[in-house]
Structure formats: C-alpha cells, structure tokens
Amino acid sequence: MFKAFSSTFLSSHRFLFRFEPAGNSFLRRRSFAAMSTAAVKRVGTHHGSFHCDEALGCFMIRLTKKFSDAHIVRTRDPQVLETLDAVLDVGGVYDPARDRYDHHQKGFEEIFGHGFITKLSSAGLVYKHFGKEIIAKELQVDEDHPDVQRLFLAVYKNFMEAIDAIDNGINQYDTDQPPRYVNNTHLSSRVGKLNLDWTDPDQSSEKENEAFERAMALAGHEFMENVRSLARSWLPARSIVMQCLEARLDIDPSGEIMVLDRFCPWKLHLFELEEEMKINPPIKYVLYEDDRSKSWRIQAMAVAPDRFESRKALPAQWRGLRDDELSRESGVPGGVFVHMSGFIGGNQTYEGALAMAKAALKL
C-alpha cells in the first residue's frame, strides 16, 4: 500500500532543498542546468531562528504537485515575499487562495476543525490544505478514498496538533502549576536545537540555512514515519475492530461482548467506532487470545480512553482469585485469574472466557 521509508529517501531528497538568495538567503549548491528556473515554484519563509512549524511546513508543501521541488526563499523582506508563489510563517497574511500561510497576525484564530480546537501554526495550515493530497499520494489512492480521510484526522490527532499547540504556546494541561519535569526531547525541541549555537564562530546566512535544511529533513522524516506507521498499523487495526464490533450480536444477544478474532491495538478504535456507529448499549467486555499463553482474556472496557475505571468491572467476588478457586467461585471451568481491580481476567479456553463474560454481565 505504501513505500518503505529509509535513509534513501532523505539522501535522495536532500539535494532538492534549494535556497535562493533573498535578503539573508543563499543558493543551495546544485546543478539545475536541465531545469527551467522560470517554471520552478518559490516558497518563502523567514530567515533567522527557525521553529518546527515552518521547517515541517516547507517540507510538506514540497510534497504537493503544485509545489514539488520548489525553491525555498528565506527572507522577511515584504517586497520579496510578495513575488513568491507561497509564503509560510511570515508576512502577516492567511489567504489560502494566494497560498499565504502565516498565523502570527492579530485576529488569526484558524483551527483544523473536525472537533479539534487548537489554533494552527504554519505547519497546521499547510496540513489542513494539503494533507489529504500528501496522504493520498503516499497511499497511492485517490483523495476521496475513505482511508485518506481517516488517516488525515489520525495524523493530525497523533502528530500535527502537538506541533501547532507548542508553537502557539498552548499548555498540554489546564493548570497554573509549573511542570514537575522538563521535557526537551519532543520534535519541536529537537528542531529548535538545530539552530546555530550562539558560540558558533560562523553565524553566516549560509550556515543558518544549512541548519534549516537539516531541520526540514528531521521534521519531514518524523512526519512521514508517522503517516506510514498509522497506515501500516493503525488503519488495518481499525478495520478489524469494526468487523468484530459489527459481529457482536452473534457473540451474545446483549450486544455488550465483543470478541477480537486476532489481537491488534483496539481500545481507541473501539471508543471512536462506538460513537460513530452509535452503539447502544456500549461494549462491556472484550475477549481476545493471549498469544503467549494461548489462553483467553476478558477485559472490561474503561469508561473513557484516559480513565482506569471500568464500565462494568468483573464481579467483586472473583477478584484476586486464581485457577481452581476462581473456577469454583465463578462456576466456569478453566479459570486462570481475575485482577484485583476487576479490569481483566482470564480463562484457559475461548468458551470459558465467553461464559465468564456472560455471567459477569448478570452479576
């Protein structure tokens, strides 16, 4: 479905990052003898210290058909910016019709939508307008393919939104307390560290733009890895969970027990699909086989993705019991264990696990 990502991608794309002289910009050395410069688009962003959002935005926009292999012009000169085909993170204008994607101007409140309310950075703006095209190209399908929309939202939730929030100074948690620890390992921080150190004796625009090129490669690498990981793992898992959810009434007439016919990351998918499919009553227990022990697990669904409480924990009288003691108390042979909190239990067989789940619904 999608091409393997490797160092070959970075090495082959490194020399596409051509920079043109403009203000404090420079020309990235490369032979363009066979290329008509008049036909090549020019994308502008500001010179000076850079952040993750414009580095990623420049990387992403060059993945599009319209701006493929575009030259990068780094300047704050408004006269130069006016001549460019697209401008990111500078210029004080958001106008997608003119490919202007700044977010610093007064009154800017653009969000991604689809339930997300975080104000966008320049990277978020590029993703909002070109993300589907980029994903469709990666999956080698049309933009109206349903998988494109699903990945478009998933990539924003799992990758892009944090970049928007960090660039706009939005705290991850609603609190006025200082953080308990410092985290300087996230992508935005690592991109920031690629800026020239103040102790570097060479502070030239050439060195600055070489650093920006490395920032584009770093941010772009992680963006594409995220897209491909979601396409490789997240998307197939969603299809599996949907099929199992649709088959729930064949498992038990209550519709409150779901069986995974193969294990996959299922929890977040199940919460989202229950809402999309308007499942009522909601799932109480999910059954799946433990690949290591070949026994079966009964897991109680949590009340929310980020909560430990269960919608209906396994019965209190089973909790903390194991093996024969559990089998006697539950009345179901083959009992293995039930956790003290009641969020998970086990049985030696599928039939035993299903019997435990059905009994638990009635207790």
Side-chain angles (χ1 to χ4, degrees), residues 246-304:
E246 290 173 340
R248 69 194 184 283
L249 293 175
D250 297 331
I251 303 301
D252 186 71
S254 70
E256 297 177 87
I257 301 172
M258 187 184 84
V259 176
L260 283 174
D261 54 19
R262 52 192 145 155
F263 188 78
C264 65
W266 57 269
K267 295 177 185 177
L268 288 177
H269 289 300
L270 185 50
F271 282 109
E272 292 175 357
L273 288 169
E274 281 184 327
E275 184 174 349
E276 290 177 22
M277 299 168 66
K278 296 179 170 53
I279 300 298
N280 190 31
I283 297 295
K284 302 300 189 303
Y285 302 115
V286 176
L287 277 58
Y288 57 88
E289 187 176 21
D290 185 331
D291 289 336
R292 292 169 296 181
S293 65
K294 299 304 178 183
S295 61
W296 279 78
R297 296 284 182 263
I298 315 110
Q299 184 155 342
M301 273 291 288
V303 296

Side-chain angles (χ1 to χ4, degrees), residues 4 52 65 109 116 121 123 134 141 176 187 191 199-200 203 207 226 239 243 262 289 292 298 312 316 333 353:
C52 185
K65 183 178 180 180
E109 296 292 340
F116 297 96
S121 67
I134 293 169
V141 297
D176 56 2
L187 179 59
V191 167
T199 62
D200 192 328
Q203 297 285 325
K207 282 292 185 181
N226 192 268
S239 299
Q243 292 169 4
R262 52 192 145 155
E289 187 176 21
R292 292 169 296 181
I298 315 110
K312 186 173 177 60

Side-chain angles (χ1 to χ4, degrees), residues 18 20 31-42 68-69 71:
R18 177 175 176 177
E20 290 189 352
S31 174
F32 282 85
M35 183 184 298
S36 170
T37 56
V40 178
K41 299 286 188 179
R42 299 189 302 160
S68 177
D69 300 345
H71 297 180

